[in-house]
Every structure is written in structure tokens, then in C-alpha cells.
Amino acid sequence: MTLSSARLDRFARHIVLPEVGGAGQVRLAESRVAIIGLGGIGSPALQYLAASGIGRLALVDDDIVDVSNLQRQTIFTTRDVGYGKAVSARRWLANFDDALQVDVSDARITPENAASLIAGADLVLDGTDNFATRLAVSDACVAAGIPLLSAAVGRFQGQVGAWAGHLPQEACYRCFVGDAFDAEDCDTCADDGMLGAMAGWVGSFAAMQAVKVLLAGVSTLGAPGWSRLHILDGLEPGMRTIRIAPDPACKACAASD
């Protein structure tokens, strides 16, 4: 792939970075990222991934826009209230950069349809708000050999993890949380509250990690950091990183090693 003069101008600030360069920008343009969940994390992540020049995006969310979302879900406006998030997000992308290829689905992701919804992706970014969906996405990624970034946020804390359970000696998301959370039983921001800017920090950090994953082997931006969980604290503020060991008994990834 070669970039047109218009695309070279648009991404000039990327291309002059030695850690990205022209080859890196071409790689981004050739990449397909599936974003699962277009809420507080998916919204800012989508904005920065689109701005980075990811060539193709798959958007998956079965929810509709509610007025309470606008405090943190930055791609939506009051005119979107009552409309599907996936369709509204595609409309935002069309206004932002009509050269992007966008696929949308308003299906609720389940263990039965997860594989088809992420098919063809070079990377999946999961910003959903319940364990059942996250585990369904993780298991599908392991089976398909697709790397996964999972991100979560609540109140003043966030997490972003990089998982490649299909690779030897690397953990998957199920290794991290185990099998006890396949039910949809986790707390929500409606119950606990969330600072909108905290969601923005987590989503933009997840987007930066996504670029790093996609450019691995092409640029010098850094290693993907598989099996590492970054914990973001908005009150201190600060961040710490821990490594998650693969679970030898994991029913998703142990058999794939």
C-alpha cells in the first residue's frame, strides 16, 4: 500500500516520529481493529484510533445512546440520544474521516457469535462492562489467534491489559479473572459512578497500546507487553504494571499452547 499525498499530509506528525515512520503509518492503514463496546472506553479509544489512521474498524455494540452517557462517551451528542451506539459511532467516523472503512453490528456479543464478530481483525479492543461479554470475547480471540486489549474503568481507577493467550507462555484474560465470572454479575458505573475524564484516560491509553501492538515488528515504538496489566489511578495520580502468569489449567488458552 502507498499513501496518497492527502493521507501523508494528514498523518505527517506520525510519520516524522522515528518510532512510527512511513512504514508504520502504512501498517496502521492496512490494519483492522474490532472495538467491542462503544461506551466510556470505546468512545475515546475509537477517536484516537481513527485519528491514528487505522484503515478499517469493526464496531460492535447493542446498546442505544442515553442522555446519561454523554458525561463520558465523547463521540455522542444530544442528537444521538435514542439511536444505536454502533450506528451513531459510524456517523461520527464518516464526519471525521470518510476514507475509513467501517463495519458495524448492533448484535449483543455472546459465546455463539463472538467468533464471527471479530473475524478478520488484527486486534480486538474490548471496553465492555461485564465479565460474561469480556470472557466470550477473550475465548474467541484465543481460538482465532487474535491479540486482545481489554480495558475497564470505574470511579477513579482503570485497567488496560494486553493478552495473547494463543502464544506460548502468555496469559489470556480468562487466566486473569478465572471462570467464576461468566455470569453478568459485575458492578456498573450506574451503581458506583465514574469520573468522565477517567474514562478518557483509560480509553486513550488503550488506543496508544493498540498502536504499539499493531506496529510491533515494523517500528521501534516498543514491545506489545503481553500478559501485562496496567492499573491507572486517577486520584494519586499514577500507574503501576503487573505481569499475569498463564494459568496451566485455563480452559481457553492452556490447550492452545
Side-chain angles (χ1 to χ4, degrees):
M1 173 185 285
T2 57
L3 298 175
S4 67
S5 59
R7 302 306 275 180
L8 290 172
D9 288 342
R10 186 171 186 127
F11 303 112
R13 301 302 188 276
H14 264 182
I15 294 169
V16 298
L17 290 170
E19 294 83 358
V20 178
Q25 195 60 50
V26 168
R27 169 63 66 86
L28 294 177
E30 294 174 338
S31 297
R32 184 175 192 259
V33 176
I35 302 178
I36 315 298
L38 299 166
I41 293 169
S43 289
L46 174 62
Q47 288 176 306
Y48 278 104
L49 289 175
S52 72
I54 304 298
R56 187 168 182 178
L57 295 157
L59 312 179
V60 181
D61 198 312
D62 70 325
D63 201 4
I64 62 172
V65 180
D66 184 81
V67 68
S68 65
N69 300 149
L70 304 182
Q71 166 255 8
R72 65 200 176 279
Q73 299 181 18
T74 50
I75 56 175
F76 305 125
T77 70
T78 52
R79 288 183 297 177
D80 297 313
V81 172
Y83 292 92
K85 289 185 178 179
V87 172
S88 298
R90 179 172 59 184
R91 183 164 52 245
W92 183 90
L93 286 167
N95 290 327
F96 178 74
D97 185 353
D98 60 6
L100 300 178
Q101 299 181 58
V102 184
D103 306 305
V104 300
S105 173
D106 60 2
R108 185 168 185 81
I109 200 161
T110 66
E112 291 71 36
N113 66 10
S116 62
L117 291 174
I118 67 170
D122 298 295
L123 173 68
V124 173
L125 195 160
D126 183 0
T128 56
D129 61 0
N130 68 86
F131 287 112
T133 302
R134 294 178 198 165
L135 287 166
V137 172
S138 176
D139 292 350
C141 285
V142 171
I146 300 172
L148 168 69
L149 291 175
S150 64
V153 63
R155 292 178 60 82
F156 305 99
Q157 289 194 331
Q159 299 177 352
V160 178
W163 314 106
H166 57 287
L167 299 179
Q169 308 306 313
E170 299 295 352
C172 71
Y173 180 75
R174 188 177 287 277
C175 293
F176 170 43
V177 302
D179 298 332
F181 298 106
D182 283 286
E184 298 184 25
D185 60 355
C186 58
D187 296 334
T188 68
C189 63
D191 300 320
D192 295 340
M194 183 194 303
L195 185 69
M198 189 69 213
W201 184 20
V202 175
S204 58
F205 183 76
M208 184 168 181
Q209 294 300 100
V211 171
K212 183 182 291 186
V213 168
L214 294 170
L215 294 187
V218 174
S219 76
T220 58
L221 196 56
W226 302 130
S227 308
R228 285 173 172 77
L229 182 73
H230 304 285
I231 303 170
L232 291 70
D233 188 336
L235 289 180
E236 288 297 330
M239 183 173 69
R240 61 191 178 97
T241 302
I242 59 177
R243 179 172 172 81
I244 305 300
D247 179 0
C250 178
K251 66 182 185 182
C253 70
S256 69
D257 291 344

